Structures are given as C-alpha cells and as structure tokens.
Amino acid sequence: MLSRVMTSALRATAALVLVASFSPTAASAETTDGYWQGVQKTGALRCGAAVAPPYVMRDPASGEYSGFFADLCREFAEVLKVKPEFVDTTWDNIVAGLQAGKWDVSLALNRTPARAMAVQFSVPAMEYQISLAYNKENPKIPTGAAAVADIDKADVTLAVMSGTAQDKAISSVVKTATILRLPTNDETRLAVVSRRADILVDASDTNQLFTQSNPDWAVALNPTPALARQGVAFGLPHQLSAADVEVINIFLEERVATGHIEELIRKAVDQVLKTGN
C-alpha cells in the first residue's frame, strides 16, 4: 500500500515538473537574453566617454578617441563581435547618462560608494590616488607640505574638473581654500599655468604627466593621509545581472593578469607626452 502511494506521488510530481517545464515562466527563463546579447543585437557597444588623459582622449579635429580606456572599449566590443561607438559626455553627466540608457558602459569611472548607489562597476582596470600638482616656486605652498591641511588656506585656489571623483574628494576635506571647478582637463591645467589657480587636483598618474611636461617648475604631492585611493573601472547599468557583470570582469581580469593593461597605459602616456594633449 505504501509503495503504491509513493509511486502515485512520484508520478504526480513528475507530471508537475513536466507541466512547469512548458509554462510561459519557465520558457521565458530559458530564453531571456542577457544584457550583452542585447548589445549584440544592436550591433554596437556604446561607450560614454569624458576626456581625462591618459584614460580617455579625443582629437578635437578628427573626433577620434584614444587613451587606454578607449582601447579597452574597442577590445571589449571585439569580444562581443560588435562595433565600438563613443558617446561624448562630461564628468558631470557620465553617471546620469548611463542611468538614462544613453550608452552601455561609462569609461574610466572611479569606484565610489556614492556612485555605487546609482550604477554598478566592473572590477578595477587599475588603482589610483589623487594628488596635488603646483609650481614649486609658489610662495603660498609651504615647503614640506604633506597633507591637504597644509595647503588649505584662504589665499589658495585649487583647480579641479567639475563632477569628477577628484572634485568630490577635495570638496569633502577643504574648509578654507577656494575650489575652482572647471569643465575640462585642459582648462584646469591652463588655470595653474596662468596662475589663476595655485594647485591642480587630479589623479596621480595624470598629474605625473603634467609635471613631466613642465619639469622646470611643476611638482606633485601625494597627500598623507591619502586624499583618495580608488579603483578605475567600467561603469555599468544598475540592472545588470551578476552573470552580465561577470562577463566584463573576466575580460578585464585576463588583461590585468597578462600585463596588457600596463602596455595600454604606457602607450597612452607616450602619446600624451609626445603630442602634449
């Protein structure tokens, strides 16, 4: 008797499984495409690009994009077998544009908690910290300055690109100095060269390019304690599944492990030093 009851129960269970396998919900789960499959259907990977050498650069005459994150955009598009498409934006809009679906990924986005509430991130392509570049002859900058507090004075002006992670970081600690927020990379550098500003606040590797281009007078300081140490990654839409995020993470992890990204960075740095962009 018990055997017949168990056999009947097993048959009923098997019937339910068979019915479920043909239900609309189950069929949908099996056939639903991921995010990257959607990109493949459109035929293009749209990369939101805000200029910040050597990460992302744009030739004003041709509109051609370069820099190591632009190269990574092209390489990931090749993995997906689609065309790369660069969408010009600013650092003020690079998160909002991604949220609005204006592009598929944001290039060279710093991983911060505030941004993580709005978008997702890939694993970092590289790590960076924020530094302060200035004229070593500037009497406003004390000899032996080591911390942000040492330069946080009423007569000091700091130039920073508006809306960047650098802007958020310096704004959170400066109490007295003036912060001059400018829209582009070139304008922040010109402000320091022209002495409209005293200090350039930017990524340490970017400021290294600035000091190498102006070796006679420019120096850079990595503040202690660090102003920020963050990963630089692809910004991704918030709705991406873990499986979708894993696709781009594997892409990046392989290139980090093989030293390929270091090669791309060296190429971009050489381009900046050669052209002065």
Side-chain angles (χ1 to χ4, degrees):
M1 179 68 178
L2 180 60
S3 176
R4 285 200 298 269
V5 171
M6 291 180 66
T7 300
S8 299
L10 288 172
R11 286 174 179 168
T13 301
L16 286 172
V17 170
L18 185 61
V19 170
S21 68
F22 287 101
S23 70
T25 302
S28 175
E30 289 179 1
T31 60
T32 298
D33 286 341
Y35 186 80
W36 305 120
Q37 284 83 358
V39 169
Q40 288 176 323
K41 287 181 178 179
T42 67
L45 175 68
R46 300 169 301 161
C47 298
V51 172
Y55 305 91
V56 179
M57 297 172 280
R58 183 175 183 270
D59 186 313
S62 66
E64 181 75 13
Y65 280 90
S66 59
F68 72 91
F69 254 94
D71 289 339
L72 288 172
C73 169
R74 294 186 179 96
E75 291 181 5
F76 188 52
E78 186 176 345
V79 168
L80 297 176
K81 295 180 170 52
V82 298
K83 294 181 179 179
E85 180 180 305
F86 294 94
V87 184
D88 190 31
T89 186
T90 66
W91 288 106
D92 282 321
N93 295 320
I94 197 164
V95 171
L98 182 62
Q99 289 178 297
K102 293 182 178 180
W103 46 82
D104 301 304
V105 299
S106 289
L107 301 184
L109 202 60
N110 291 62
R111 290 160 54 103
T112 68
R115 283 175 172 170
M117 290 190 289
V119 299
Q120 292 195 76
F121 291 100
S122 68
V123 295
M126 63 165 290
E127 300 287 339
Y128 103 123
Q129 63 178 311
I130 295 172
S131 73
L132 311 174
Y134 56 90
N135 189 326
K136 61 185 177 182
E137 304 299 332
N138 189 333
K140 299 179 187 178
I141 313 301
T143 302
V148 172
D150 296 331
I151 54 86
D152 189 10
K153 303 176 180 179
D155 60 345
V156 171
T157 299
L158 302 98
V160 66
M161 277 193 291
S162 176
T164 59
Q166 299 92 286
D167 183 3
K168 302 294 190 298
I170 197 68
S171 298
S172 69
V173 295
V174 164
K175 308 300 180 187
T176 306
T178 299
I179 299 176
L180 177 62
R181 297 178 178 85
L182 297 167
T184 69
N185 180 276
D186 288 341
E187 287 177 274
T188 59
R189 278 141 187 77
L190 182 59
V192 174
V193 171
S194 67
R195 302 191 179 186
R196 180 184 173 196
D198 301 293
I199 295 173
L200 173 62
V201 182
D202 213 329
S204 54
D205 53 349
T206 306
N207 272 348
Q208 183 179 357
L209 291 174
F210 180 70
T211 58
Q212 286 179 248
S213 299
N214 302 280
D216 294 338
W217 58 268
V219 294
L221 161 68
N222 292 331
T224 304
L227 185 55
R229 291 187 70 93
Q230 299 163 337
V232 186
F234 281 100
L236 306 170
H238 214 290
Q239 71 269 23
L240 257 66
S241 68
D244 287 325
V245 176
E246 187 69 1
V247 172
I248 197 165
N249 283 350
I250 292 171
F251 163 79
L252 283 174
E253 286 165 354
E254 179 183 10
R255 281 155 178 77
V256 170
T258 60
H260 179 65
I261 288 181
E262 289 183 5
E263 293 176 4
L264 294 181
I265 293 172
R266 282 195 293 269
K267 184 183 80 169
V269 168
D270 288 343
Q271 178 187 345
V272 173
L273 294 176
K274 182 178 179 180
T275 64
N277 289 336

